[in-house]
Amino acid sequence: MSAEDLENYETDMELQLYREYRDVVGLFSYVVETERRFYLANNVDLQARSADGEVYFDLTLQDAWVWDVYRSARFVKNVRVITFKDVNVEELSKSDDIALPKDGTLG
């Protein structure tokens, strides 16, 4: 396999992953980013803890999807992450949460 073949394969895998993300994002309520992974989840519990003067985060996700091109099964029932790095949790807005005026004007 040439370097170009490998690059094409990786590009195809990333495109497939993006398409899967696009197809499943509407099923989830939260986007969660850690230093190592990107998740979609329906239940998020984030606890800041400390031990020996160090602060760390204990993150538990339920009903989740993992952005990882190398995983064969990206849907997981439970995920637990312990990290000293930042964790970003965002609630996804549902498309029906945003309503445009019926007459098409915004003002």
Side-chain angles (χ1 to χ4, degrees), residues 24-80:
V24 302
V25 69
L27 302 173
F28 296 94
S29 300
Y30 299 94
V31 172
V32 180
E33 290 179 88
T34 69
E35 79 277 4
R36 298 195 58 195
R37 297 277 191 276
F38 177 89
Y39 302 91
L40 298 171
N42 282 323
N43 191 324
V44 177
D45 180 32
L46 178 62
Q47 302 291 321
R49 304 199 189 279
S50 64
D52 300 326
E54 295 287 332
V55 175
Y56 65 95
F57 299 100
D58 188 348
L59 175 66
T60 303
L61 308 174
Q62 293 178 330
D63 186 23
W65 181 87
V66 184
W67 179 288
D68 187 340
V69 73
Y70 299 107
R71 290 178 68 106
S72 59
R74 286 183 271 278
F75 288 96
V76 289
K77 186 163 181 66
N78 295 299
V79 177
R80 184 170 182 209

